[in-house]
Every structure is written in structure tokens, then in C-alpha cells.
Amino acid sequence: MVPPATRLVVLALAATLAGPALARPRTDRLPIPELLERYAAGDFDDVAKAFDENTDYDEVLKDLKKAAPGWLDAGGATDRPRRVLAAATFALEAGRAGSFHDWKLVQNWIRLENIYWHAPAKLVEWGCALLRQSSPEPRPIERVWHLASIALVDRVGDFEFLIGSPWEARANPKDEILHLEHAAERFPHERRFALAQGIAAEWRLFPTRQSGSREAEKIFESLQDDAQVGGEASVRLGLMRLRNKTVRPALALFDAAERQTREPWVVYLARYFRGLALENAERRDEAVGAYRGALDAIPGAQSASFALAALLAQQGHRIDAAVVVDRALTPGTPVPDPWRAYGLADARFWPELIDRLHREIAPAPAETAR
């Protein structure tokens, strides 16, 4: 499996080498002030359609920086906070659309590396800076914006945007973004931001699993009893223990995770990882029970289904194994598998978070009727 950071570099290099032959910037995009106006009026879906793989995101960023000050003032002081949120969320959605195609480029320079953030990443940071500069004290809805921004970056799989380079020095250190620091400064008691730091540290230098792993362990250890994120912290810490071949401590953490949360995503992972640990310890009957428990949490998820089917087949229960596989491969919409999305972390919260932001931005019915 190609590490996320390496994949980003490869994709960025491929896009650069492809050159203008593949670039077909759109020329029919509506002016940014009009897009902002429609977005703030609640026309979210249609505005989102303005962005695709042919969008020139550098132009979007440049035009947004130019148009935003006047547009933010146009509604007067009373409406300005809503417009600030609308502009920041507009930038967030534009950055997310662009992240599917372009994000950053890392290049070697003598013995150091340069990092070049492309327009989609800069759009996210522009929205973050707008919120920080618009109010010394954050409004509660800004917390939702930051959670959504981390959900976006987790989907990209880029720890460097959140916590900076894993190396001691960059050739261009002034270009580090450190987005997670901004979020944590605004909301120092938000435990999901602390968990995000641990996940980013876990990603750091993933091929070696050395630098960053102890840092991640410390963060997860500090959060494992937390009422808000303790379940997921325990699951992630337990998997790190399991990778280090310490089965008993891992099992204790998976048990603790189930006591701390009812979120199916986390419960599934705790039971699936417990199954892996028990299977490695050659406690196969118990592993079968753990995999079945995972499928109770999320029926039809493929990782637990295939692990369970393999064990059942080994034990001679081939018909039962076939039934489990058939359920996992039933035609239709695939069942979201938490193990496949494990590295994407908070990306699973994006639909809920962006919906909350939309509801905060959309004008009240009375305003719309005027």
C-alpha cells in the first residue's frame, strides 16, 4: 500500500509533468461575488457544481481574495458574521472539490525539501484565516467549520497540512501551514482536535512506523479515558499495541473501547481488531465470535465478513462461510467498511458537519420571504 504522503507527491508530480496538454481551465464560471451571493442564499448544491476537474483553482483563490472584502461588508454589520461563515465555508467546499485533483507538491532541494501548497489547500487555509481575523473570540459554529476542515484533510490523507513536516527543517519553513494549531488555539478544549493530532502523528513517517509512533501513542494514552473520544483513542492505541505483538494489552484496550462508546464505526473496529488479535493468538473460536460481533455492529462490512468466512472455512463450516461472503457481496450500494476508512479518520463526519454549516448559513424563512 502506498503511504498517503507519497501518493500525494506522486499525484502532484504526475499533474505537473502532464503540463498544459491536459489542462482545460473553465472559462464559463460565474463571477465569485455572484457565487458567494447564491451560496449565502442557500443555493449550495448548484454552487458546488461550479467546481470540477477543469476549474482553475488559482483563479478562484485570487478572485475570492479580491471580491471577499466588499462582499462581506455589503450586508452591513448585522449580517457580517453570517457572511464570514458563508465565505469561509464556500472556500472550504471549493478546496474540497479541488483536492480530488490537486493538493501540493514536495520537491527535493539540495538536502532539504520544498513544499508547495496548491490552490485547493490554500483555499482551506484562507477560510481558516478569515474566521480567525474576523473575531477575536470564536463563535460556536466556527468549531463545526474546523471539524469539517479536518474531515476534509483526513480524506486527503495529508498530515503535513495539519502538523507540519516530519523532518527537522524545510528549505521553505515559512510555507508550513500547521492548520491543526490554528484550530486548537481557537478551541483548546476540543478533544477531537487532540485526537486528530495523534492520528496525524500516527501517519507521520508511516513506512518506518518509528518517528511519530511514540508521539501518537502518548497522545492516544492521554485520551483513552476521555468521555468524548476515549473509545476511538483506545481502538487506535490498541491497534498500535497489536502491531507491536502485545496481544493482551491490545485486547484490554479493545474491551475498554466498547465500554466507552456506542458509535458503530468504533465498535466495529474494536471487535474486528479483537478478532485479529485472537486469531493471531490461535484462539480461533473466540475470534469467530469477535468477527460476528463486528458484523452485528455493521452488517455486511467486508473486512470482518471475509475474515470470518476464512475462519469458518478452515473449521469445515463451508456453507456458513459462503453465506457470510454472499451477504458481503450482495449487489447494490456497498456497506461502508470502517477498516477501509480507518486512515481517513474524521472524513466520515463530513456530511453531517457540512449540513450543519449549511443550516447556519441559509437565511431564515422570514428573510427569504421578503
Side-chain angles (χ1 to χ4, degrees):
M1 176 174 153
V2 179
T6 303
R7 184 171 66 252
L8 289 165
V9 174
V10 171
L11 290 173
L13 283 171
T16 302
L17 293 173
L22 296 180
R24 303 187 308 276
R26 291 181 56 169
T27 58
D28 59 342
R29 177 172 51 81
L30 292 173
I32 287 295
E34 184 174 341
L35 286 175
L36 283 171
E37 198 66 38
R38 290 175 60 180
Y39 192 84
D43 195 4
F44 305 114
D45 291 340
D46 284 347
V47 171
K49 293 175 183 176
F51 304 109
D52 59 24
E53 68 273 14
N54 297 321
T55 298
D56 187 335
Y57 288 94
D58 287 301
E59 286 297 314
V60 171
L61 178 61
K62 182 181 74 173
D63 292 350
L64 185 59
K65 289 179 177 179
K66 181 178 178 181
W71 184 81
L72 292 173
D73 291 337
T78 303
D79 197 38
R80 185 179 175 86
R82 187 182 72 89
R83 287 182 172 239
V84 167
L85 180 65
T89 308
F90 172 89
L92 186 67
E93 293 213 63
R96 185 175 189 269
S99 72
F100 284 91
H101 316 289
D102 196 15
W103 187 254
K104 74 177 180 183
L105 174 65
V106 179
Q107 286 184 326
N108 287 320
W109 178 254
I110 308 177
R111 295 186 178 181
L112 298 176
E113 289 190 338
N114 282 313
I115 188 165
Y116 300 101
W117 297 105
H118 291 173
K122 291 179 179 178
L123 278 161
V124 176
E125 183 53 24
W126 180 88
C128 177
L130 176 64
L131 290 168
R132 298 198 310 269
Q133 294 162 7
S134 297
S135 174
E137 294 297 324
R139 296 192 297 147
I141 193 62
E142 184 182 332
R143 168 184 165 273
V144 178
W145 188 95
H146 282 293
L147 289 169
S149 71
I150 290 171
L152 184 165
V153 177
D154 281 354
R155 189 192 64 80
V156 175
D158 187 12
F159 67 86
E160 289 180 315
F161 187 88
L162 296 176
I163 61 174
S165 167
W167 294 275
E168 291 300 321
R170 285 277 196 202
N172 57 339
K174 63 182 178 59
D175 293 329
E176 296 279 24
I177 288 181
L178 305 175
H179 178 67
L180 195 54
E181 289 188 9
H182 304 154
E185 286 173 2
R186 299 289 274 180
F187 297 92
H189 302 299
E190 174 52 58
R191 308 313 288 161
R192 288 220 71 86
F193 296 157
L195 183 67
Q197 183 181 359
I199 294 169
E202 186 181 8
W203 284 345
R204 176 182 279 181
L205 292 183
F206 182 78
T208 63
R209 292 187 185 147
Q210 294 173 3
S211 178
S213 63
R214 184 54 195 149
E215 179 185 352
E217 286 182 357
K218 288 180 179 178
I219 294 170
F220 295 149
E221 287 168 353
S222 71
L223 295 172
Q224 66 186 79
D225 295 324
D226 184 82
Q228 183 184 1
V229 299
E232 186 170 346
S234 294
V235 162
R236 291 182 177 275
L237 182 60
L239 182 58
M240 297 185 81
R241 297 280 189 267
L242 184 57
R243 286 171 174 163
N244 292 330
K245 311 298 183 184
T246 53
V247 173
R248 185 174 297 176
L251 289 171
L253 285 161
F254 300 144
D255 290 340
E258 283 208 59
R259 293 193 297 269
Q260 293 166 304
T261 184
R262 293 184 179 180
E263 184 188 353
W265 196 89
V266 178
V267 171
Y268 174 93
L269 287 173
R271 295 174 180 177
Y272 174 63
F273 294 157
R274 182 189 295 120
L276 294 177
L278 292 167
E279 192 172 354
N280 288 338
E282 298 188 358
R283 294 160 59 181
R284 293 183 177 85
D285 288 342
E286 294 174 79
V288 166
Y291 292 140
R292 289 194 188 279
L295 293 173
D296 287 340
I298 301 185
Q302 290 187 354
S303 53
S305 295
F306 296 155
L308 173 60
L311 268 184
L312 290 173
Q314 289 173 18
Q315 295 175 336
H317 306 301
R318 297 190 177 184
I319 295 178
D320 290 343
V323 170
V324 171
V325 172
D326 284 345
R327 287 173 181 164
L329 298 179
T330 298
T333 304
V335 175
D337 190 326
W339 174 229
R340 291 188 175 183
Y342 181 81
L344 301 181
D346 283 13
R348 67 190 189 274
F349 298 125
W350 171 266
E352 171 195 347
L353 294 167
I354 197 64
D355 181 64
R356 290 173 64 182
L357 290 168
H358 286 170
R359 283 187 274 117
E360 186 76 14
I361 293 166
E367 296 177 37
T368 306
R370 288 190 198 127

